Amino acid sequence: LDAFAPIAEDAVRAAAQDIALERALRAAKEEWVAERVSFADLRVQARAVTVAGERKLKGSVPALIAIIEDLAVHPELALKAIGALIAIGDERAVGPLIESARQRPALYLGQIVFGVARIGGKEAEAYLFTMANGHPDPSVRQNAKDALSELSRRGHLREE
């Protein structure tokens, strides 16, 4: 068992660091969390992205947008950032989300279509209308139509 002691100590130390990070992010001021969204340590950055979305921290939006605009970002972090932007619901994210959908693999498209609908706004509506009527993939067209219906149900479509 003595051979496993260093491994166990490392695991306990890492768990304690994760708990401390989580507590700090949940209690911190918005600016501190936003700084961690751009942190070099991927573990810290990923937790900060998640917490920014859960706390709906609008001050983190520029850093989250920077993540989704960076095509070299780890795919899991990009998905977390997309989710956080959608949770925050700031219309500044709509354009970058749309651009991200154009530049990333198809697996992002469904989340972005419904996320853009959840955020709403004129740019979101125009994008969804275009996708619903012009995307070559029938399932994407249907998803966009469903997303437009959701906007309509919430009363977010502008009157012509």
Side-chain angles (χ1 to χ4, degrees):
L1 290 178
D2 287 339
F4 293 108
I7 296 169
E9 288 174 15
D10 287 346
V12 169
R13 189 175 304 108
Q17 289 172 344
D18 287 346
I19 291 168
L21 173 62
E22 187 73 23
R23 291 188 69 189
L25 287 167
R26 295 205 175 278
K29 292 185 178 189
E30 186 169 356
E31 298 81 24
W32 193 83
V33 177
E35 289 173 6
R36 296 320 174 270
V37 168
S38 301
F39 223 58
D41 182 331
L42 185 59
R43 181 184 61 84
V44 172
Q45 187 181 29
R47 284 307 309 146
V49 166
T50 300
V51 169
E54 290 170 354
R55 290 180 54 191
K56 299 181 181 355
L57 302 177
K58 290 188 181 278
S60 297
V61 169
L64 292 166
I65 288 171
I67 290 171
I68 67 167
E69 288 176 338
D70 183 354
L71 297 178
V73 162
H74 189 280
E76 187 176 320
L77 182 62
L79 284 171
K80 284 179 185 269
I82 290 167
L85 285 167
I86 293 166
I88 294 168
D90 190 310
E91 283 189 36
R92 292 178 292 173
V94 172
L97 284 167
I98 291 168
E99 188 58 33
S100 178
R102 290 184 184 122
Q103 296 178 3
R104 293 192 178 274
L107 78 101
Y108 295 85
L109 195 54
Q111 183 180 11
I112 290 172
V113 164
F114 285 103
V116 164
R118 183 171 176 195
I119 295 170
K122 291 178 182 180
E123 188 175 12
E125 181 184 343
Y127 171 72
L128 294 171
F129 181 83
T130 301
M131 296 296 280
N133 292 293
H135 196 278
D137 184 329
S139 65
V140 172
R141 285 195 307 270
Q142 187 59 52
N143 284 342
K145 287 176 186 175
D146 293 345
L148 277 169
S149 293
E150 176 62 25
L151 270 179
S152 179
R153 271 194 301 279
R154 290 191 343 240
H156 288 227
L157 288 180
R158 65 176 186 255
E159 298 298 322
E160 296 299 329

